[in-house]
């Protein structure tokens, strides 16, 4: 095709794709390019604006490394990560929510009743619940991968003062589907703003805050893996999460407890709690693989 114009360029692109191309890639890439062409036409994109876009992508590439995932962050603040989550979240199960860029694989085992708070002085948060199927039956032998920030609002991978696996652990859940651990109440924090995604937030007049949350990845044989977060009910940013992760069923409510009610056994901290603490009971529902 030589007489390319604005009207035939999209069809010409489609025609350039080979017949032996992966069919799903043909659909996804074809549709992406169709929308890119339409977008450029609709906004009458100028060379200057297009160059700015390319510069932005180059900057995002330069700042990215094994710990810094600027493209994940971009997808998060644009709402794309949450949209993909929602497209594949089953209404019978707990809602999924953004993985975010700070998960680290292979966190150390966290025994049932284990403690993530370690030496931090803030009040303890006891978190427990049951991993269930949509009928409410406990799912045996699930694993729960847990991570959160330290009270300074930084994940261990962002903070040279924290150990690699600070506030990270993987719990193997027993036959009764019950999980339990102690930690600290999570805090609200800002997504990183020192890179090109921060420039976008500022250009849009947007704040960078996420409401306080705990991250979970729940896995069990025969069930779809659930990537989710649970959010503090009293958080001021609950209705304005900058990465669009909050769903009604993911809101956790704290109960204030007296020290004397802390379980006498079953927790690393049993017998060691002499201050009021917070408690959350939160069940998680997994849906079977079809
Ligand atoms: C997080 O919750 O860890 C997160 C999610 C999206 C962007 C930045 C951080
Ligand atoms: Fe987070």
């Amino acid at each position: 095709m030589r007489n390319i114009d604005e009207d035939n360029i999209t069809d010409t692109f489609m025609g350039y794709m080979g017949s032996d191309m992966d069919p799903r890639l043909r659909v996804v890439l074809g549709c992406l390019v169709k929308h890119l062409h339409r977008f450029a036409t609709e906004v009458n994109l100028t060379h200057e604006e297009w160059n700015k876009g390319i510069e932005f992508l180059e900057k995002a590439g330069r700042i990215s490394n094994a710990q810094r995932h600027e493209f994940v962050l971009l997808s998060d603040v644009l709402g794309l990560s949450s949209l993909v989550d929602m497209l594949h979240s089953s209404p019978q199960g707990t809602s999924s929510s953004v993985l975010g860029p700070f998960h680290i694989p292979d966190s150390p085992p966290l025994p049932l009743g284990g403690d993530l708070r370690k030496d931090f002085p803030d009040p303890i948060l006891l978190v427990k619940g049951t991993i269930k199927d949509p009928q409410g039956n406990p799912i045996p032998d699930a694993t729960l991968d847990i991570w959160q920030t330290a009270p300074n609002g930084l994940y261990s991978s962002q903070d040279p003062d924290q150990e690699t696996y600070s506030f990270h652990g993987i719990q193997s859940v027993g036959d009764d589907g019950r999980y339990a651990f102690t930690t600290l109440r999570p805090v609200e924090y800002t997504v990183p703003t020192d890179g090109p995604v921060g420039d976008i937030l500022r250009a849009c007049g947007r704040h960078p805050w996420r409401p306080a949350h705990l991250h979970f990845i729940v896995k069990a044989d025969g069930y779809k893996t659930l990537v989710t977060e649970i959010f503090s009910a009293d958080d001021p940013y609950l209705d304005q999460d900058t990465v669009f992760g909050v769903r009604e069923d993911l809101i956790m409510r704290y109960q204030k407890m007296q020290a004397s009610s802390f379980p006498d056994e079953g927790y690393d901290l049993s017998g060691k709690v002499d201050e009021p603490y917070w408690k959350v009971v939160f069940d998680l529902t997994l849906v079977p693989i079809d």
Side-chain angles (χ1 to χ4, degrees), residues 202-219:
R202 282 183 288 276
C204 294
R206 276 176 58 179
H207 72 67
W209 288 93
R210 296 217 63 205
H213 56 272
L214 300 172
H215 289 271
F216 293 147
I217 299 178
V218 198
K219 293 186 181 177

Side-chain angles (χ1 to χ4, degrees), residues 72-73 76-77 98-103 147 155 189 191-192 210 213 215 229 243:
V72 177
L73 187 58
D76 295 339
V77 304
V98 286
L99 172 67
F102 297 115
H103 174 251
W147 71 107
Y155 287 95
Y189 65 83
V191 301
R210 296 217 63 205
H213 56 272
H215 289 271
E229 318 169 89
V243 303

Side-chain angles (χ1 to χ4, degrees), residues 102 117 120-122 148-163 166-168 183-192 209-210 212-213:
F102 297 115
R117 179 181 83 147
F120 286 89
D122 315 40
Q148 70 178 99
T149 68
N152 62 1
L154 295 175
Y155 287 95
S156 57
S157 59
Q158 298 174 287
D159 183 359
D161 293 336
Q162 289 184 60
E163 290 167 14
S166 153
F167 289 102
H168 287 70
T183 184
L184 294 178
R185 276 175 64 144
V187 293
E188 58 263 26
Y189 65 83
T190 64
V191 301
W209 288 93
R210 296 217 63 205
H213 56 272

Side-chain angles (χ1 to χ4, degrees), residues 129-154:
T130 303
I131 299 175
K132 302 194 281 196
D133 68 16
Q135 284 71 45
N137 306 307
I139 298 175
D141 302 326
T143 59
L144 184 66
D145 189 342
I146 306 153
W147 71 107
Q148 70 178 99
T149 68
N152 62 1
L154 295 175

Side-chain angles (χ1 to χ4, degrees), residues 73-203:
L73 187 58
L74 176 63
S75 165
D76 295 339
V77 304
L78 295 183
L80 181 59
S81 311
S82 281
L83 180 57
V84 173
D85 282 341
M86 289 182 284
L87 289 173
H88 301 285
S89 205
S90 165
Q92 297 158 320
T94 301
S95 295
S96 60
S97 184
V98 286
L99 172 67
F102 297 115
H103 174 251
I104 14 184
D106 305 321
S107 288
L110 178 70
L112 267 179
D115 179 48
L116 291 173
R117 179 181 83 147
K118 302 274 162 36
D119 299 327
F120 286 89
D122 315 40
I124 295 160
L125 171 65
L126 186 157
V127 187
K128 66 177 199 168
T130 303
I131 299 175
K132 302 194 281 196
D133 68 16
Q135 284 71 45
N137 306 307
I139 298 175
D141 302 326
T143 59
L144 184 66
D145 189 342
I146 306 153
W147 71 107
Q148 70 178 99
T149 68
N152 62 1
L154 295 175
Y155 287 95
S156 57
S157 59
Q158 298 174 287
D159 183 359
D161 293 336
Q162 289 184 60
E163 290 167 14
T164 310
Y165 294 112
S166 153
F167 289 102
H168 287 70
I170 301 185
Q171 188 154 92
S172 294
V173 175
D175 282 353
D176 58 2
R178 283 175 200 265
Y179 73 88
F181 60 95
T182 51
T183 184
L184 294 178
R185 276 175 64 144
V187 293
E188 58 263 26
Y189 65 83
T190 64
V191 301
T193 55
D194 57 340
V197 171
D199 294 339
I200 288 200
L201 292 176
R202 282 183 288 276

